[in-house]
Each structure stands twice: as structure tokens, then as C-alpha cells.
């Protein structure tokens, strides 16, 4: 192999606020670095081709697919997973609303759902239910049927925007 | 399934990327957003690739004006295309197309250059660049060349780009006052690849129609365009059915796709004020 191509890559980035230095095989995915190397098993691997959203985490403030991102591409990045977001309290209201509204059953999809929902409720405005569905369309849930997830996100978006939270689901 | 990769190198500039591709001796692969390539590697479509990561080449990111042309760098991400005011002003078709692509997490990394080079027949941008009469800029060991969008898409995932060439930019004639840009598609779920879609540009009474999901490649619908220019809306719908050759698959039959194309084109024509 040429000296310019490497099969192992030295990386420095931060995960949940902590500096991490490690050497990974060139083809190592972010999701595997998190789950296998760093033992942060909150983020899940489902389809491994970008469709289900179970592996969604935050990189430099934006959602990305852990299964479609090579760790090699993330030197210097700031990565947040559900573990760090929980510890920092950044999504405590979302998590409480998910529990309150039964927006999870098996929980497999939930860490990815929370990462995606976080960027939506941070936008400051109150999205329509349709906009919430559109935003969350890249996160599959095989248990809940989505209605409760949309309810939970809507509640948090309203509360964060200072609009009174809905007390009960509208009759549709 | 995990991607099996031969090696990885970060390119610092276009010449550096070209020399890395040369070194890789035929198994070099450009890595941009990875949103198609990593998915393909995960499926085991290819193995042993030498990845040349071009995402660090800052000069390939973002949009600028060059006279009456908009220049969009190949590494401009779908999310940036959806948000950039310069693109909204001068190429509103692309600004409208970007949110139709996949989901936030994929739009945050996927690039316009990657989408055009990948040339998925169901992707939005390839049909848009046809409708926009855009020019693609390729840089290779033999220098720089420009290829009209019409000459770029050759078949299923096949383009005029040689393996050792990098798509660096897209040149788009800026929209003029009175121009209209419309994109419409039919998909089963938000973010899915479209079953059928059309991108339309009207300029000074003339129309350009790019079709996606309706053939083995993006198609410029010359027959329908001529009928529309002549003001014949029914003739346009009939001609469209002949311009395209839709695939049948588990998602939809060819005849359903053809039907959808006609419905979409009528809706676009109505939106642009054509009497039905
Ligand atoms: C779940 C899912 C849904 C999707 N839905 C849609 C959709 O609805 N519509 C749509 O259009 N796309 C969709 N995509 C694809 C997405 O838009 C990709 O981002 C895009 O096709 C590829 O861009 P990339 O930057 O990620 O390229 P990469 O994946 O890095 O590369 C793709 C290919 O292009 C080559 N390449 C990349 N950049 C260059 C360059 N500058 N010069 C030469 N060659 C280059 C690579 O070598 C590779 O062969 C979807 C993807 C996923 C995972
Ligand atoms: S595991 Fe990444 S999207 Fe399904
Ligand atoms: S709670 Fe089981 S997949 Fe969503």
C-alpha cells in the first residue's frame, strides 16, 4: 500500500464533552466506535444503510447517521450521544415528555428519536404536527405508531416556546 | 454487514486528490458525504476501495456568483443548498429540491457533487441540472473540462466522468426576473426516493423539463418541452409519455409511474398558469 493511504487512522475528537484519542481501522463507522470502542451502547445500529435512524447522533451540533459516517472523517469533531445529552440535562424535558406520553415501548429507536427531536425543538418556533412528522420521517419506530412521539415533541416545542402545553391529545 | 476498505487518505486540495487517485491505481474512490458510498460499502457492493476523502477541500464548498452564472462547489451539502440565500435567489429550483432529499441527518452530510456523480435515476439534482441547463466542471490529470448536464448522464449510475476525474463545481445560468422554477414529486413517504418527479424551468416562454424516477437515467423531456412551448398542454402530456421509459419494480409499475408523470406535469402547468 502507498504511504499516503493508511489502514489505521489516529483520531482526536470529543465525545460528550470528553477528549478522546484513539486509533481505528480506516473503515470503522462512528456507530461502532461509540458502541464497541467507547462502550456507549445507547446509540443503536439497525439497518446500517441510513434508513432507520436508530444510529442518529449529533456531530458539531447537527444530526448524522452513525452508520453512514466513517470515524476517520471526524478528526476534531464534537460528538454527543444520548448518554451525554442525558447527563447534561440538555434533553431532560424531551425525555420526560416521552415517558409521560408513552412515546417509547422497546426503546430501540428512542436515542435516535431524541437526537433528531433535539434539533427541532431548539429551533425556537412551534412546528406544526405535519412539520414534526416530516422532520422525524428519518427515524423509524416499530412499536409506538408515532402518534405519541409527535405528541411528546409538540409538547416540548410548545413549552420551550412559552406556549401553553396541550393537556390532552386533540380528537382527530 | 461492514464496509471493507483498502485504505483511506485525506486530500488537502484538488491536485492532491488527483495525485492520490493516481496512486490508488484503479481502486481509488472519492469519498464526499458518504451518504451513498458508505451505504453501498455496507451492503458489500465493493470491497478493498482506497478512499480519497475530499471533504476537507474548503474551496469546493459553497456558492458564489460569477457574472450571470451561479457557481456551486461540489461539496456544498444538501442542507446548505436548502438554506443559502444566494441559491434561493439565483437557482430557486435547487433550493426547492434540497428539502425533498432524504432526511435531515442525511442532508447534513450529503453533497450536490456526490449526488450528481452518483447519478441515481430517482435523485432530484440530476433532473434539476438538466432543467437548469447547467454545466458540470470536471478536473482530472489532463486538466479541467466542462460538460453540459445534457451530455453528463449516460445511463444507470453512469456518467461522462472518468474514474480519475473529480467533479468540482456546477455552473448555473442565474434565474432572471420572470423565470419560473418548479419541482414536484410523488413519494410513498417523506424522504423516500421519488416514484416519479419533474423539475421545470420556464424562461421567456420556453420550457425545460427534467424527469427523475422515470427512466434508467435523468431525462430531458424534449418532446413535451416542444409541445409546451407551442402552447399545446394535452399534446405535452402525450409527448411526455414517450419521452420517458419508466422502470417497474417493487415500489411501482411502469404504467403507474407514467400516469404519475402526467399528473405531476398537469399540476405544474396549472401552477404556472396554463389553462387546462
Ligand atoms: C436513506 C437515504 C435516503 C436517500 N434519499 C435520497 C433522495 O430522496 N434523493 C436523493 O437525491 N438522494 C437521496 N439519498 C442519497 C443522498 O442524496 C446522497 O447524499 C448523495 O447521493 C451522495 O452524495 P454524497 O456527498 O454523500 O456522496 P458519496 O456517498 O460520498 O459518493 C457517492 C458517489 O459519488 C462519487 N463522488 C462523490 N463526490 C464526488 C465528486 N466531487 N467528484 C467525483 N465523484 C464523486 C463517490 O466516489 C461515490 O461513487 C439518500 C440516501 C440515503 C442513505
Ligand atoms: S442503523 Fe443507521 S440508519 Fe439504520
Ligand atoms: S419503541 Fe420500539 S422501535 Fe420505537
Amino acid at each position: 500500500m502507498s504511504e499516503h493511504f493508511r489502514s489505521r487512522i489516529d483520531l482526536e475528537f470529543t465525545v460528550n464533552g470528553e477528549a478522546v484519542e484513539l486509533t481505528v481501522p480506516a473503515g470503522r463507522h462512528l456507530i461502532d466506535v461509540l458502541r464497541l470502542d467507547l462502550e456507549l451502547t445507547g446509540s443503536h445500529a439497525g439497518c446500517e444503510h441510513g434508513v432507520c435512524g436508530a444510529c442518529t447522533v449529533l456531530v458539531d451540533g447537527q444530526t448524522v447517521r452513525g452508520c453512514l459516517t466513517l470515524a476517520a472523517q471526524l478528526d476534531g469533531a464534537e460528538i454527543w450521544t444520548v448518554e451525554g445529552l442525558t447527563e447534561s440535562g440538555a434533553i431532560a424535558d424531551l425525555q420526560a415528555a416521552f415517558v409521560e406520553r408513552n412515546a417509547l415501548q422497546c426503546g430501540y429507536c428512542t436515542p435516535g428519536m431524541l437526537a433528531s427531536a433535539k434539533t427541532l425543538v431548539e429551533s425556537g418556533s412551534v412546528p406544526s404536527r405535519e412539520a414534526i412528522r416530516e422532520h422525524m420521517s428519518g427515524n423509524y419506530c416499530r412499536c409506538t405508531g408515532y402518534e405519541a412521539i409527535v405528541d411528546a415533541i409538540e409538547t416540548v416545542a410548545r413549552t420551550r416556546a412559552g406556549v401553553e402545553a396541550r393537556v390532552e391529545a386533540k380528537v382527530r | 454487514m461492514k464496509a471493507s476498505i483498502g485504505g483511506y487518505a485525506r486530500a488537502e486540495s484538488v491536485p492532491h486528490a488527483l495525485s492520490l487517485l493516481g496512486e490508488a491505481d484503479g481502486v481509488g474512490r472519492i469519498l464526499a458525504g458518504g451518504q451513498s458510498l458508505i451505504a453501498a460499502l455496507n451492503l458489500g457492493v465493493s470491497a478493498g476501495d482506497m478512499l480519497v476523502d475530499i471533504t476537507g477541500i474548503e474551496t469546493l464548498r459553497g456558492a458564489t456568483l460569477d457574472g450571470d452564472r451561479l457557481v456551486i462547489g461540489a461539496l456544498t451539502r444538501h442542507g446548505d443548498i436548502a438554506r443559502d440565500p444566494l441559491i434561493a435567489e439565483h437557482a430557486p429550483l435547487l433550493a426547492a429540491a434540497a428539502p425533498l432529499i432524504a432526511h435531515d441527518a442525511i442532508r447534513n452530510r450529503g453533497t450536490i457533487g456526490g449526488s450528481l456523480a452518483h447519478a441515481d435515476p430517482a435523485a432530484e439534482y440530476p433532473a434539476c441540472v438538466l432543467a437548469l441547463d447547467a454545466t458540470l466542471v470536471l478536473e482530472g490529470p489532463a486538466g479541467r473540462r466542462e460538460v453540459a448536464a445534457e451530455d453528463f448522464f449516460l445511463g444507470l449510475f453512469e456518467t461522462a466522468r472518468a474514474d480519475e476525474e473529480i467533479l468540482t463545481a456546477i455552473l448555473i445560468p442565474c434565474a432572471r426576473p420572470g423565470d419560473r422554477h418548479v419541482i414536484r414529486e410523488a413519494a410513498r413517504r417523506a424522504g423516500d426516493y421519488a416514484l416519479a418527479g419533474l423539475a421545470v424551468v420556464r424562461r421567456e416562454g420556453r420550457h425545460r423539463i427534467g424527469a427523475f424516477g422515470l427512466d434508467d437515467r435523468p431525462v430531458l423531456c424534449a418532446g413535451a418541452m416542444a409541445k409546451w412551448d407551442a402552447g399545446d398542454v394535452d399534446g405535452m402530456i402525450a409527448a411526455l409519455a414517450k419521452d420517458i421509459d419508466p422502470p417497474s419494480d417493487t415500489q411501482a409499475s411502469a404504467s403507474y409511474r407514467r400516469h404519475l408523470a402526467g399528473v405531476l406535469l398537469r399540476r405544474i402547468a396549472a401552477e404556472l398558469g396554463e389553462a387546462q
Side-chain angles (χ1 to χ4, degrees):
Chain A
M1 188 166 69
S2 114
E3 58 181 7
H4 297 110
F5 285 93
R6 284 168 298 151
S7 57
R8 295 183 69 77
I9 314 289
D10 299 322
L11 292 171
E12 286 181 32
F13 44 53
T14 70
V15 178
N16 297 330
E18 280 178 39
V20 173
E21 265 183 62
L22 77 173
T23 303
V24 297
R28 193 77 157 165
H29 294 65
L30 171 59
I31 190 66
D32 295 331
V33 166
L34 294 172
R35 289 180 54 82
L36 306 176
D37 300 333
L38 303 177
E39 294 179 4
L40 293 168
T41 53
S43 311
H44 295 150
C47 66
E48 300 193 322
H49 60 274
V51 176
C52 74
C55 63
T56 307
V57 297
L58 295 168
V59 172
D60 297 332
Q62 293 190 314
T63 51
V64 308
R65 294 289 201 239
C67 72
L68 294 186
T69 308
L70 296 184
Q73 291 194 285
L74 297 181
D75 197 35
E78 186 183 317
I79 299 156
W80 285 87
T81 68
V82 70
E83 289 88 348
L85 296 173
T86 302
E87 215 162 286
S88 74
I91 53 168
D93 52 353
L94 268 174
Q95 288 167 308
F98 267 59
V99 171
E100 174 78 12
R101 190 58 191 86
N102 273 328
L104 66 155
Q105 288 176 28
C106 77
Y108 203 83
C109 67
T110 312
M113 288 281 175
L114 291 168
S116 291
K118 177 174 186 287
T119 63
L120 185 64
V121 297
E122 274 171 354
S123 68
S125 57
V126 180
S128 64
R129 292 181 71 82
E130 203 181 312
I132 296 172
R133 280 189 176 272
E134 154 69 31
H135 181 88
M136 301 302 294
S137 65
N139 291 81
Y140 286 8
C141 177
R142 299 286 82 155
C143 303
T144 66
Y146 302 105
E147 204 58 22
I149 294 172
V150 177
D151 288 346
I153 295 169
E154 189 183 27
T155 302
V156 172
R158 284 171 164 262
T159 311
R160 286 204 187 187
V163 184
E164 204 181 316
R166 285 187 331 165
V167 183
E168 51 192 291
K170 275 192 226 112
V171 180
R172 272 175 298 271
Chain B
M1 185 87 195
K2 290 298 171 201
S4 140
I5 283 163
Y8 168 95
R10 243 172 248 145
E12 273 140 35
S13 64
V14 172
H16 184 211
L18 290 173
S19 88
L20 286 166
L21 283 173
E23 261 176 58
D25 204 19
V27 291
R29 273 270 212 170
I30 296 162
L31 172 63
Q35 302 302 289
S36 293
L37 180 56
I38 307 288
L41 293 173
N42 289 359
L43 290 171
V45 175
S46 68
D49 287 339
M50 298 291 214
L51 300 184
V52 178
D53 184 353
I54 60 170
T55 52
I57 308 178
E58 283 301 323
T59 53
L60 298 186
R61 176 156 293 144
T64 51
L65 275 183
D66 175 22
D68 56 2
R69 286 200 301 198
L70 182 68
V71 183
I72 302 183
L75 288 178
T76 312
R77 291 172 173 159
H78 308 335
D80 298 326
I81 289 189
R83 286 184 294 264
D84 186 335
L86 202 65
I87 296 177
E89 183 181 349
H90 299 293
L93 188 64
L94 291 177
L100 300 177
I101 301 172
H103 317 284
D104 242 27
I106 289 157
R107 293 192 291 261
N108 287 337
R109 294 197 76 79
T111 67
I112 186 168
S115 173
L116 294 171
H118 188 54
D120 190 309
E124 284 82 358
Y125 291 146
C128 289
V129 297
L130 286 174
L132 289 164
D133 202 7
T135 302
L136 308 189
V137 181
L138 298 170
E139 291 186 42
R144 178 186 186 277
R145 64 182 180 122
E146 296 188 359
V147 180
E150 274 181 69
D151 301 324
F152 188 71
F153 302 102
L154 303 181
L156 190 64
F157 299 111
E158 200 192 325
T159 71
R161 183 183 72 85
D163 284 345
E164 63 282 1
E165 281 180 316
I166 299 174
L167 173 60
T168 53
I170 302 97
L171 312 177
I172 298 165
C174 287
R176 297 187 202 143
D179 285 3
R180 296 292 301 275
H181 290 192
V182 183
I183 181 166
R184 277 184 182 254
E185 67 177 44
R188 291 208 182 272
R189 290 163 300 207
D192 277 10
Y193 274 107
L195 298 176
L198 297 172
V200 170
V201 171
R202 172 191 280 171
R203 164 167 287 186
E204 286 158 4
R206 316 238 11 212
H207 301 86
R208 291 178 66 89
I209 307 171
F212 52 106
L214 291 168
D215 212 316
D216 70 347
R217 70 196 77 177
V219 177
L220 187 68
C221 303
M225 284 155 49
K227 292 288 183 194
W228 197 349
D229 291 352
D232 177 2
V233 171
D234 287 330
M236 162 182 89
I237 303 294
L240 177 69
K242 297 198 185 109
D243 286 331
I244 56 178
D245 183 11
S248 277
D249 56 30
T250 50
Q251 302 280 316
S253 67
S255 64
Y256 180 55
R257 284 198 160 92
R258 195 172 258 121
H259 169 77
L260 280 177
V263 171
L264 291 170
L265 189 53
R266 266 195 204 281
R267 286 185 186 163
I268 293 172
E271 190 174 337
L272 295 184
E274 300 291 352
Q276 292 297 297

